[in-house]
Amino acid sequence: MTTRLFGEPVARVEDERLLRGHGGYLDDLGNDALECAFVRSPHAHARVDGIDVDDALEVDGLVAIYTYEDLPDRLAEPLPLLIPHPALTQGRTQYALARDVVRHVGEPVVMVVARNRYLAEDAAGKITVSYTPLPPVVGIPAARAAEHLVHADVPGNVAANLVQQVGDVDGVLARAPHVLELDLHVERSASTPLEGRGVLARWDTESHRLRMWSSTQTSTGVRAAVAAKLGLALMDVDVITPDVGGGFGVKIVHPWPEEVLVPWAARQLGRPVKFVEDRREHFISAAHERAQEHHVRAGFDDEGHLLALDVRFWHDHGAYIPYGLIVPIITSTQLLGPYKPRAYRVEFDSLYTNTLIVTPYRGAGRPQGVFVMERVMDAIARELGLDRTAVRERNFIRPDEMPYDHGLIFQDGRPLIYDSGDFPASLAKLKDLVGWDEFAAYRAQAAAEGRRVGIGLACYVEGTGVGPYEGAHVVVETSGKVKVSTGLTTQGQGHQTVFAQIVADELGVPMSDVEVVTGDTRRFGYAVGTFASRAAVMSGSAIALAARAARAKALRVAADALEADPDDLEIVDGVVRVVGSPGAEISLGTVAVLSNPLRYAFDDSAQAATQFAVGDTSKPPVGEDDEPGVEGRDYFSPMRSTFANGMHAVIVETDPDTAEITILRYCVVHDCGPLINPRIVEGQIHGGVAQGVGGALYERMAYDEAGQLQNASFMDFLMPYVTEVPRGIEIDHLETPSPLNPLGIKGAGEAGVIPGAAAIAAAIEDAEGFPITAMPISPSELFELRRKHSEGNRS
């Protein structure tokens, strides 16, 4: 009997190929292609006065040089604003090549194509661009002061102002027994996937079709954008996503300037063209995230019930805003987490600065929101002298209040309604896992040894599985193998494994017989993309529905062949059989043969489907409303997002002399509904926790006053190594199914990173005894905070 695979920790089928070096990444392709390099702005803000390419023309191997003046028609227009919003009244996007003004260091100005990258770089180095520097706007305070403008036609550097409110915030605050105010800050960071961006394009001069490969999180999005910019029919553009060495959000942006310039050049030159960015280019010309400043007023009663919450924050989105307001909208709505203040108001400004653009980075605005809310919870507990878990418990949404409507609009334009979750049960699990009630004794023992330790926790809710849709196609081959295609892309999540598990269960076939293809518009042309922890929920559900359709067709065809009722059939290990009738069976491959009435016999198996072998001569070979083959195609389009949740607890030790911070234990309770593959979910959590540690203690984008990024390399940008990631991350699961999809699942991709900074800040605060209000925090900064609080206490 076929073993049910949903819920089993099946080993990833992708890993052997990838670990043996058999992966095919963008730079492994196109060895015959011309390559390009870009002359990029060295200034954060400057007017482009002139471009002199004369010296570059002497470089042997140079093929072409392009500036803005060479770009035709739609390619000369600004790149698209991908997600418009009514509040985004001053949306500005960049040109593929700078037109008159550059607004951040790294903005592309000139494109050079040559026989190879070395020659392209040589030629680029001989091009002289004349600039007149303009005053840069760097950081949120400078943007708010608006002494200088990033865009001359955008007053105050404000692209958007958005307010959402539920209840009488001012009235409740005025009557609240206690009110506290906090100022909280989170710095810039970035995804920094090990493989940066890259694109390869081939133009077929005979068929007038474009084929391109991109290291992207949305092959269908790239196809649509490139077709629009180059004036091509959508069906004349194929986009294929090869193996991708990480995305974490930065590769959901489309099109990048290079993604339209490279195929355009390939078409112009009639030769394949490739671009692969280097590490510095990724730091200064891809995208960042996280930087926000928040001012909070919270009103609460004597028992710690949060009566009103008023949040004002400022979001730094960089020089342009191609991805719209998604990140600050997520902060403003997901900030509430598992809590239910009686009144809530949130207002944000999204601000232009002369720094790199901001687009979603794993967690996408949630780490900032969780940091704010959890700092508030800890501040209330401190103010009232209550246990921090007790304050949270008293403010939780209860399980019997699900579905819970916050009265706000989420990032997908749909109401913010939680579908499921049991927050008190999750907290109870977390307290047991970390030993919350026993920590006081541990702290006393550590103190006796001269050690300083602290414990912190943070809770979050994550909207996952956002729409609008994903689809899938499942085909049973005459060999009995099953081919599955879905349009979203893969960046290492284990899609080939979990999607195969779903199909194997739904169809009753061995998992080894299932092959999954993602991110290839030739195989599946309608899709949205991989982001927002949506792949399992969206494509997983679509694949399940498509597999069920294929199963129904298989049972119907097999019922005819076996002269049985379809309801009496089952499929086990790829064989359709009559329940209770040993020997009455037919292989799924033979069913596929019979489903396709043939005139010609191509091989032995096909003979069974030819016109003199099968068929009821009183009926047409292919019935009305039927079609040949055993296959299913379906789409999943939910009413709204699912909401996963979780809680993290951390124990840290801070060195009394050097202020170094060491994570001693890291515990996670996670609820993403039923687990398709616990091994993969826990791997996602491990990776997320590692990124959360980086965001809390190490990673930041260090801009100087001139807008120059001072740490644009892995020599200077600190990432946590395995030595900094806590050993043995302890994980427990709670599974509350979602009613919004056929599998009951919720997303898991981003969860591990979301509460990291908040939980670690709480633990440091507990160890040190003074508030932590900004993250990340370095040993030097903690040392300085100690000095300030020591001086404050003496005064």
Side-chain angles (χ1 to χ4, degrees), residues 678-697:
R679 181 189 301 225
I680 287 180
V681 170
E682 295 193 358
Q684 289 274 21
I685 293 172
H686 290 169
V689 168
Q691 282 187 305
V693 170
L697 301 178

Side-chain angles (χ1 to χ4, degrees), residues 41-339:
S41 170
H43 298 283
H45 198 191
R47 187 169 59 246
V48 179
D49 296 325
I51 301 173
D52 184 352
V53 303
D54 287 350
D55 290 346
L57 298 177
E58 304 302 320
V59 174
D60 183 37
L62 175 72
V63 175
I65 298 175
Y66 301 111
T67 68
Y68 173 82
E69 301 299 329
D70 299 306
L71 304 182
D73 306 325
R74 298 177 190 174
L75 202 54
E77 299 172 356
L79 296 175
L81 198 168
L82 291 170
I83 308 176
H85 188 284
L88 182 51
T89 57
Q90 303 291 341
R92 302 290 183 273
T93 59
Q94 71 181 98
Y95 293 92
L97 292 172
R99 184 176 180 179
D100 302 312
V101 176
V102 289
R103 293 185 173 86
H104 68 84
V105 172
E107 188 166 346
V109 180
V110 184
M111 178 185 187
V112 179
V113 184
R115 284 204 308 269
N116 58 51
R117 178 66 178 259
Y118 301 101
L119 297 171
E121 294 279 5
D122 287 346
K126 292 180 179 296
I127 294 173
T128 302
V129 182
S130 302
Y131 299 96
T132 297
L134 300 171
V137 178
V138 182
I140 291 174
R144 290 178 62 188
E147 294 178 4
H148 305 290
L149 298 178
V150 177
H151 298 269
D153 59 344
V154 177
N157 293 312
V158 179
N161 173 271
L162 182 62
V163 183
Q164 293 203 67
Q165 179 169 342
V166 177
D168 177 15
V169 174
D170 292 327
V172 176
L173 277 173
R175 296 188 296 274
H178 308 273
V179 175
L180 60 80
E181 297 193 32
L182 297 172
D183 289 296
L184 301 162
H185 175 68
V186 177
E187 289 200 28
R188 268 193 178 224
S189 188
S191 306
T192 60
L194 289 183
E195 183 201 31
R197 298 170 300 153
V199 59
L200 165 68
R202 294 180 185 275
W203 175 255
D204 188 322
T205 56
E206 295 183 356
S207 65
H208 295 279
R209 286 179 53 82
L210 175 69
R211 178 170 296 181
M212 59 184 291
W213 295 256
S214 181
S215 182
T216 181
Q217 292 177 230
T218 172
S219 54
T220 51
V222 171
R223 180 175 72 152
V226 169
K229 278 295 181 186
L230 300 190
L232 296 170
L234 198 62
M235 298 302 291
D236 289 335
V237 180
D238 297 324
V239 176
I240 304 154
T241 306
D243 285 321
V244 174
F248 308 115
V250 69
K251 294 177 182 176
I252 191 60
V253 179
H254 61 279
W256 291 104
E258 300 86 356
E259 281 178 326
V260 292
L261 292 170
V262 167
W264 172 71
R267 186 182 184 185
Q268 291 289 107
L269 300 171
R271 298 178 63 182
V273 178
K274 182 168 81 170
F275 166 73
V276 176
E277 72 177 356
D278 62 29
R279 183 52 54 187
R280 177 171 169 76
E281 283 182 306
H282 189 78
F283 270 103
I284 65 171
S285 67
H288 300 162
E289 213 233 89
R290 300 285 198 255
Q292 288 181 178
E293 294 186 352
H294 316 78
H295 180 74
V296 183
R297 291 192 301 156
F300 51 98
D301 65 17
D302 293 339
E303 296 180 336
H305 293 110
L306 183 59
L307 304 177
L309 186 66
D310 187 12
V311 178
R312 181 77 166 94
F313 73 93
W314 295 266
H315 170 74
D316 172 2
H317 64 247
Y320 306 100
I321 190 166
Y323 211 74
L325 301 177
I326 294 301
V327 171
I329 288 176
I330 291 175
T331 295
S332 64
T333 51
Q334 297 275 262
L335 183 148
L336 292 170
Y339 311 113

